[in-house]
mmCIF file of all heavy atoms in Angstrom:
data_model
loop_
_atom_site.group_PDB
_atom_site.id
_atom_site.type_symbol
_atom_site.label_atom_id
_atom_site.label_comp_id
_atom_site.label_asym_id
_atom_site.label_seq_id
_atom_site.Cartn_x
_atom_site.Cartn_y
_atom_site.Cartn_z
ATOM 1 N N VAL A 251 1.669 118.620 146.253
ATOM 2 C CA VAL A 251 1.106 117.400 146.839
ATOM 3 C C VAL A 251 1.931 116.201 146.378
ATOM 4 O O VAL A 251 2.284 115.323 147.175
ATOM 5 C CB VAL A 251 -0.375 117.232 146.438
ATOM 6 C CG1 VAL A 251 -0.908 115.872 146.901
ATOM 7 C CG2 VAL A 251 -1.214 118.360 147.042
ATOM 8 N N TYR A 252 2.253 116.188 145.094
ATOM 9 C CA TYR A 252 3.057 115.081 144.563
ATOM 10 C C TYR A 252 4.382 114.978 145.320
ATOM 11 O O TYR A 252 4.762 113.904 145.785
ATOM 12 C CB TYR A 252 3.323 115.275 143.069
ATOM 13 C CG TYR A 252 4.347 114.300 142.532
ATOM 14 C CD1 TYR A 252 4.010 112.966 142.323
ATOM 15 C CD2 TYR A 252 5.653 114.696 142.295
ATOM 16 C CE1 TYR A 252 4.964 112.051 141.877
ATOM 17 C CE2 TYR A 252 6.614 113.802 141.848
ATOM 18 C CZ TYR A 252 6.263 112.483 141.642
ATOM 19 O OH TYR A 252 7.205 111.577 141.212
ATOM 20 N N ALA A 255 3.579 113.826 149.003
ATOM 21 C CA ALA A 255 2.874 112.597 149.375
ATOM 22 C C ALA A 255 3.020 111.451 148.377
ATOM 23 O O ALA A 255 2.784 110.306 148.732
ATOM 24 C CB ALA A 255 1.386 112.902 149.569
ATOM 25 N N CYS A 256 3.373 111.730 147.146
ATOM 26 C CA CYS A 256 3.303 110.693 146.123
ATOM 27 C C CYS A 256 4.672 110.258 145.622
ATOM 28 O O CYS A 256 4.864 109.126 145.182
ATOM 29 C CB CYS A 256 2.484 111.189 144.933
ATOM 30 S SG CYS A 256 1.032 112.152 145.383
ATOM 31 N N MET A 257 5.595 111.206 145.682
ATOM 32 C CA MET A 257 6.908 111.007 145.105
ATOM 33 C C MET A 257 7.624 109.778 145.669
ATOM 34 O O MET A 257 8.338 109.089 144.940
ATOM 35 C CB MET A 257 7.706 112.270 145.419
ATOM 36 C CG MET A 257 8.968 112.429 144.710
ATOM 37 S SD MET A 257 9.485 114.097 145.192
ATOM 38 C CE MET A 257 11.202 113.889 145.080
ATOM 39 N N ALA A 258 7.428 109.543 146.959
ATOM 40 C CA ALA A 258 8.148 108.445 147.612
ATOM 41 C C ALA A 258 8.018 107.165 146.807
ATOM 42 O O ALA A 258 8.981 106.418 146.671
ATOM 43 C CB ALA A 258 7.631 108.251 149.033
ATOM 44 N N CYS A 259 6.843 106.906 146.267
ATOM 45 C CA CYS A 259 6.654 105.701 145.460
ATOM 46 C C CYS A 259 6.733 105.999 143.974
ATOM 47 O O CYS A 259 7.318 105.242 143.220
ATOM 48 C CB CYS A 259 5.297 105.078 145.769
ATOM 49 S SG CYS A 259 5.168 104.481 147.471
ATOM 50 N N HIS A 260 6.116 107.118 143.565
ATOM 51 C CA HIS A 260 5.965 107.334 142.126
ATOM 52 C C HIS A 260 7.196 107.915 141.445
ATOM 53 O O HIS A 260 7.235 107.996 140.218
ATOM 54 C CB HIS A 260 4.719 108.184 141.855
ATOM 55 C CG HIS A 260 3.447 107.402 142.016
ATOM 56 N ND1 HIS A 260 2.946 106.583 141.034
ATOM 57 C CD2 HIS A 260 2.617 107.266 143.073
ATOM 58 C CE1 HIS A 260 1.833 105.996 141.461
ATOM 59 N NE2 HIS A 260 1.610 106.391 142.703
ATOM 60 N N ALA A 264 8.749 102.467 143.673
ATOM 61 C CA ALA A 264 8.667 101.650 144.883
ATOM 62 C C ALA A 264 7.303 100.987 144.979
ATOM 63 O O ALA A 264 6.294 101.563 144.586
ATOM 64 C CB ALA A 264 8.917 102.515 146.118
ATOM 65 N N ALA A 265 7.283 99.790 145.468
ATOM 66 C CA ALA A 265 6.048 99.036 145.687
ATOM 67 C C ALA A 265 5.311 98.767 144.377
ATOM 68 O O ALA A 265 4.130 98.466 144.375
ATOM 69 C CB ALA A 265 5.129 99.772 146.681
ATOM 70 N N GLY A 266 6.025 98.917 143.245
ATOM 71 C CA GLY A 266 5.387 98.656 141.959
ATOM 72 C C GLY A 266 4.587 99.825 141.425
ATOM 73 O O GLY A 266 3.767 99.674 140.520
ATOM 74 N N ALA A 267 4.816 101.011 141.967
ATOM 75 C CA ALA A 267 4.091 102.194 141.506
ATOM 76 C C ALA A 267 4.571 102.591 140.112
ATOM 77 O O ALA A 267 5.762 102.511 139.824
ATOM 78 C CB ALA A 267 4.322 103.352 142.475
ATOM 79 N N PRO A 268 3.635 102.984 139.230
ATOM 80 C CA PRO A 268 4.063 103.489 137.919
ATOM 81 C C PRO A 268 4.860 104.773 138.115
ATOM 82 O O PRO A 268 4.407 105.691 138.792
ATOM 83 C CB PRO A 268 2.743 103.740 137.198
ATOM 84 C CG PRO A 268 1.703 103.879 138.272
ATOM 85 C CD PRO A 268 2.171 103.019 139.409
ATOM 86 N N TRP A 276 2.355 104.399 132.066
ATOM 87 C CA TRP A 276 1.126 105.158 132.293
ATOM 88 C C TRP A 276 0.102 105.043 131.171
ATOM 89 O O TRP A 276 -1.097 105.297 131.385
ATOM 90 C CB TRP A 276 1.457 106.646 132.534
ATOM 91 C CG TRP A 276 1.894 106.894 133.947
ATOM 92 C CD1 TRP A 276 3.178 106.933 134.415
ATOM 93 C CD2 TRP A 276 1.051 107.122 135.079
ATOM 94 N NE1 TRP A 276 3.176 107.154 135.770
ATOM 95 C CE2 TRP A 276 1.888 107.282 136.206
ATOM 96 C CE3 TRP A 276 -0.338 107.202 135.258
ATOM 97 C CZ2 TRP A 276 1.390 107.511 137.495
ATOM 98 C CZ3 TRP A 276 -0.835 107.436 136.547
ATOM 99 C CH2 TRP A 276 0.014 107.588 137.642
ATOM 100 N N ARG A 279 -3.006 103.125 131.790
ATOM 101 C CA ARG A 279 -3.754 103.737 132.904
ATOM 102 C C ARG A 279 -4.476 104.986 132.405
ATOM 103 O O ARG A 279 -5.640 105.218 132.733
ATOM 104 C CB ARG A 279 -2.806 104.077 134.054
ATOM 105 C CG ARG A 279 -2.133 102.856 134.649
ATOM 106 C CD ARG A 279 -1.205 103.214 135.783
ATOM 107 N NE ARG A 279 -0.397 102.076 136.228
ATOM 108 C CZ ARG A 279 -0.809 101.159 137.089
ATOM 109 N NH1 ARG A 279 -2.016 101.227 137.599
ATOM 110 N NH2 ARG A 279 -0.022 100.168 137.433
ATOM 111 N N LYS A 282 -7.714 104.601 130.697
ATOM 112 C CA LYS A 282 -8.918 104.367 131.515
ATOM 113 C C LYS A 282 -9.711 105.653 131.729
ATOM 114 O O LYS A 282 -10.857 105.627 132.155
ATOM 115 C CB LYS A 282 -8.526 103.808 132.892
ATOM 116 C CG LYS A 282 -7.917 102.427 132.840
ATOM 117 C CD LYS A 282 -7.782 101.814 134.236
ATOM 118 C CE LYS A 282 -6.705 102.485 135.052
ATOM 119 N NZ LYS A 282 -6.437 101.808 136.340
ATOM 120 N N ALA A 286 -11.190 107.671 136.321
ATOM 121 C CA ALA A 286 -10.745 106.427 136.948
ATOM 122 C C ALA A 286 -9.466 106.675 137.749
ATOM 123 O O ALA A 286 -9.298 106.152 138.851
ATOM 124 C CB ALA A 286 -10.509 105.361 135.884
ATOM 125 N N LEU A 287 -8.591 107.494 137.185
ATOM 126 C CA LEU A 287 -7.328 107.758 137.877
ATOM 127 C C LEU A 287 -7.555 108.622 139.122
ATOM 128 O O LEU A 287 -6.920 108.410 140.152
ATOM 129 C CB LEU A 287 -6.328 108.436 136.930
ATOM 130 C CG LEU A 287 -5.914 107.580 135.727
ATOM 131 C CD1 LEU A 287 -4.845 108.302 134.909
ATOM 132 C CD2 LEU A 287 -5.398 106.211 136.159
ATOM 133 N N TYR A 288 -8.476 109.584 139.011
ATOM 134 C CA TYR A 288 -8.811 110.394 140.191
ATOM 135 C C TYR A 288 -9.344 109.481 141.300
ATOM 136 O O TYR A 288 -8.976 109.615 142.464
ATOM 137 C CB TYR A 288 -9.886 111.434 139.857
ATOM 138 C CG TYR A 288 -9.440 112.553 138.938
ATOM 139 C CD1 TYR A 288 -10.364 113.205 138.125
ATOM 140 C CD2 TYR A 288 -8.111 112.981 138.902
ATOM 141 C CE1 TYR A 288 -9.985 114.250 137.284
ATOM 142 C CE2 TYR A 288 -7.727 114.016 138.056
ATOM 143 C CZ TYR A 288 -8.670 114.649 137.248
ATOM 144 O OH TYR A 288 -8.281 115.672 136.418
ATOM 145 N N SER A 290 -8.761 106.344 141.722
ATOM 146 C CA SER A 290 -7.666 105.559 142.284
ATOM 147 C C SER A 290 -6.840 106.407 143.249
ATOM 148 O O SER A 290 -6.400 105.919 144.295
ATOM 149 C CB SER A 290 -6.737 105.050 141.177
ATOM 150 O OG SER A 290 -7.419 104.175 140.322
ATOM 151 N N GLY A 291 -6.642 107.659 142.876
ATOM 152 C CA GLY A 291 -5.865 108.550 143.746
ATOM 153 C C GLY A 291 -6.545 108.753 145.091
ATOM 154 O O GLY A 291 -5.905 108.721 146.137
ATOM 155 N N VAL A 295 -5.854 101.803 145.296
ATOM 156 C CA VAL A 295 -6.121 100.644 144.445
ATOM 157 C C VAL A 295 -6.041 99.422 145.358
ATOM 158 O O VAL A 295 -4.961 99.100 145.869
ATOM 159 C CB VAL A 295 -5.090 100.532 143.300
ATOM 160 C CG1 VAL A 295 -5.374 99.300 142.439
ATOM 161 C CG2 VAL A 295 -5.105 101.794 142.431
ATOM 162 N N THR A 298 -3.022 96.777 146.533
ATOM 163 C CA THR A 298 -1.704 97.233 146.084
ATOM 164 C C THR A 298 -1.141 98.216 147.108
ATOM 165 O O THR A 298 -1.799 98.553 148.095
ATOM 166 C CB THR A 298 -1.782 97.964 144.729
ATOM 167 O OG1 THR A 298 -2.337 99.273 144.952
ATOM 168 C CG2 THR A 298 -2.644 97.208 143.736
ATOM 169 N N GLY A 299 0.059 98.709 146.804
ATOM 170 C CA GLY A 299 0.677 99.698 147.690
ATOM 171 C C GLY A 299 0.017 101.060 147.566
ATOM 172 O O GLY A 299 0.309 101.965 148.349
ATOM 173 N N MET A 300 -0.880 101.198 146.572
ATOM 174 C CA MET A 300 -1.554 102.485 146.383
ATOM 175 C C MET A 300 -2.696 102.596 147.393
ATOM 176 O O MET A 300 -3.818 102.153 147.136
ATOM 177 C CB MET A 300 -2.082 102.593 144.938
ATOM 178 C CG MET A 300 -2.789 103.920 144.626
ATOM 179 S SD MET A 300 -1.692 105.320 144.905
ATOM 180 C CE MET A 300 -2.867 106.611 145.285
ATOM 181 N N ILE A 301 -2.361 103.202 148.544
ATOM 182 C CA ILE A 301 -3.377 103.359 149.585
ATOM 183 C C ILE A 301 -4.175 104.633 149.326
ATOM 184 O O ILE A 301 -3.774 105.470 148.513
ATOM 185 C CB ILE A 301 -2.725 103.423 150.980
ATOM 186 C CG1 ILE A 301 -1.610 104.472 150.998
ATOM 187 C CG2 ILE A 301 -2.178 102.045 151.369
ATOM 188 C CD1 ILE A 301 -0.976 104.657 152.359
ATOM 189 N N LYS A 303 -5.553 108.099 148.944
ATOM 190 C CA LYS A 303 -4.880 109.400 148.919
ATOM 191 C C LYS A 303 -3.362 109.268 149.067
ATOM 192 O O LYS A 303 -2.694 110.192 149.527
ATOM 193 C CB LYS A 303 -5.434 110.323 150.018
ATOM 194 C CG LYS A 303 -6.882 110.731 149.744
ATOM 195 C CD LYS A 303 -7.381 111.759 150.740
ATOM 196 C CE LYS A 303 -8.756 112.275 150.323
ATOM 197 N NZ LYS A 303 -9.285 113.279 151.231
ATOM 198 N N GLY A 304 -2.828 108.125 148.711
ATOM 199 C CA GLY A 304 -1.382 107.924 148.832
ATOM 200 C C GLY A 304 -0.924 108.112 150.268
ATOM 201 O O GLY A 304 0.255 108.349 150.532
ATOM 202 N N GLY A 305 -1.864 108.025 151.196
ATOM 203 C CA GLY A 305 -1.524 108.186 152.611
ATOM 204 C C GLY A 305 -1.585 109.622 153.088
ATOM 205 O O GLY A 305 -1.312 109.901 154.250
ATOM 206 N N CYS A 306 -1.939 110.536 152.202
ATOM 207 C CA CYS A 306 -1.999 111.957 152.592
ATOM 208 C C CYS A 306 -3.346 112.245 153.261
ATOM 209 O O CYS A 306 -4.308 112.642 152.599
ATOM 210 C CB CYS A 306 -1.802 112.859 151.384
ATOM 211 S SG CYS A 306 -1.838 114.622 151.808
ATOM 212 N N CYS A 309 -4.984 115.701 152.754
ATOM 213 C CA CYS A 309 -5.196 116.174 151.380
ATOM 214 C C CYS A 309 -6.696 116.145 151.061
ATOM 215 O O CYS A 309 -7.377 115.166 151.348
ATOM 216 C CB CYS A 309 -4.481 115.262 150.382
ATOM 217 S SG CYS A 309 -2.698 115.526 150.285
ATOM 218 N N ILE A 314 -5.774 115.910 145.592
ATOM 219 C CA ILE A 314 -5.374 114.625 144.996
ATOM 220 C C ILE A 314 -5.583 114.678 143.478
ATOM 221 O O ILE A 314 -4.721 114.244 142.708
ATOM 222 C CB ILE A 314 -6.179 113.458 145.611
ATOM 223 C CG1 ILE A 314 -5.873 113.329 147.104
ATOM 224 C CG2 ILE A 314 -5.878 112.150 144.860
ATOM 225 C CD1 ILE A 314 -4.437 112.983 147.436
ATOM 226 N N ALA A 317 -2.785 116.472 142.008
ATOM 227 C CA ALA A 317 -1.557 115.664 141.998
ATOM 228 C C ALA A 317 -1.614 114.633 140.872
ATOM 229 O O ALA A 317 -0.616 114.385 140.192
ATOM 230 C CB ALA A 317 -1.366 114.973 143.354
ATOM 231 N N VAL A 318 -2.793 114.042 140.657
ATOM 232 C CA VAL A 318 -2.949 113.073 139.573
ATOM 233 C C VAL A 318 -2.719 113.783 138.233
ATOM 234 O O VAL A 318 -2.003 113.277 137.358
ATOM 235 C CB VAL A 318 -4.343 112.399 139.603
ATOM 236 C CG1 VAL A 318 -4.553 111.530 138.365
ATOM 237 C CG2 VAL A 318 -4.491 111.548 140.880
ATOM 238 N N MET A 321 0.932 114.263 137.769
ATOM 239 C CA MET A 321 1.629 113.017 137.450
ATOM 240 C C MET A 321 1.358 112.600 136.004
ATOM 241 O O MET A 321 2.281 112.209 135.278
ATOM 242 C CB MET A 321 1.175 111.913 138.425
ATOM 243 C CG MET A 321 1.696 112.149 139.833
ATOM 244 S SD MET A 321 0.856 111.171 141.115
ATOM 245 C CE MET A 321 1.246 109.520 140.618
ATOM 246 N N VAL A 322 0.088 112.700 135.605
ATOM 247 C CA VAL A 322 -0.271 112.295 134.239
ATOM 248 C C VAL A 322 0.371 113.240 133.215
ATOM 249 O O VAL A 322 0.947 112.798 132.217
ATOM 250 C CB VAL A 322 -1.811 112.253 134.084
ATOM 251 C CG1 VAL A 322 -2.201 112.135 132.607
ATOM 252 C CG2 VAL A 322 -2.377 111.066 134.883
HETATM 253 C C1 LIG B 189 3.233 103.711 149.164
HETATM 254 C C2 LIG B 189 3.462 103.910 147.763
HETATM 255 C C3 LIG B 189 2.562 104.877 147.022
HETATM 256 C C4 LIG B 189 2.315 106.188 147.335
HETATM 257 C C5 LIG B 189 2.854 107.008 148.492
HETATM 258 C C6 LIG B 189 1.435 106.692 146.293
HETATM 259 N N1 LIG B 189 1.183 105.705 145.395
HETATM 260 FE FE1 LIG B 189 -0.018 105.865 143.758
HETATM 261 N N2 LIG B 189 0.391 103.945 143.267
HETATM 262 C C7 LIG B 189 1.152 103.073 144.008
HETATM 263 C C8 LIG B 189 1.156 101.769 143.374
HETATM 264 C C9 LIG B 189 1.866 100.540 143.856
HETATM 265 C C10 LIG B 189 0.335 101.889 142.229
HETATM 266 C C11 LIG B 189 -0.005 100.800 141.224
HETATM 267 C C12 LIG B 189 -1.313 100.177 141.657
HETATM 268 C C13 LIG B 189 -1.760 99.159 140.636
HETATM 269 O O1 LIG B 189 -1.232 98.055 140.675
HETATM 270 O O2 LIG B 189 -2.598 99.522 139.803
HETATM 271 C C14 LIG B 189 -0.119 103.273 142.197
HETATM 272 C C15 LIG B 189 -0.954 103.780 141.218
HETATM 273 C C16 LIG B 189 -1.415 105.064 141.176
HETATM 274 C C17 LIG B 189 -2.277 105.594 140.163
HETATM 275 C C18 LIG B 189 -2.814 104.838 138.953
HETATM 276 C C19 LIG B 189 -4.016 104.057 139.411
HETATM 277 C C20 LIG B 189 -4.754 103.421 138.276
HETATM 278 O O3 LIG B 189 -5.983 103.328 138.415
HETATM 279 O O4 LIG B 189 -4.141 103.016 137.285
HETATM 280 C C21 LIG B 189 -2.545 106.887 140.466
HETATM 281 C C22 LIG B 189 -3.417 107.849 139.711
HETATM 282 C C23 LIG B 189 -1.830 107.167 141.697
HETATM 283 N N3 LIG B 189 -1.149 106.044 142.103
HETATM 284 C C24 LIG B 189 -1.835 108.384 142.311
HETATM 285 C C25 LIG B 189 -1.139 108.661 143.481
HETATM 286 C C26 LIG B 189 -1.158 109.955 144.114
HETATM 287 C C27 LIG B 189 -1.903 111.163 143.628
HETATM 288 C C28 LIG B 189 -0.362 109.850 145.214
HETATM 289 C C29 LIG B 189 -0.048 110.923 146.243
HETATM 290 C C30 LIG B 189 -1.154 111.679 146.787
HETATM 291 C C31 LIG B 189 0.130 108.478 145.261
HETATM 292 N N4 LIG B 189 -0.370 107.803 144.187
HETATM 293 C C32 LIG B 189 0.966 107.995 146.250
HETATM 294 C C33 LIG B 189 1.856 103.361 145.157
HETATM 295 C C34 LIG B 189 1.848 104.587 145.808
#
Side-chain angles (χ1 to χ4, degrees):
V251 173
Y252 170 75
C256 320
M257 192 173 151
C259 295
H260 285 278
W276 279 95
R279 297 180 189 276
K282 294 190 289 187
L287 297 184
Y288 291 153
S290 296
V295 179
T298 75
M300 181 58 207
I301 51 176
K303 292 186 172 181
C306 181
C309 283
I314 296 297
V318 173
M321 290 164 62
V322 168

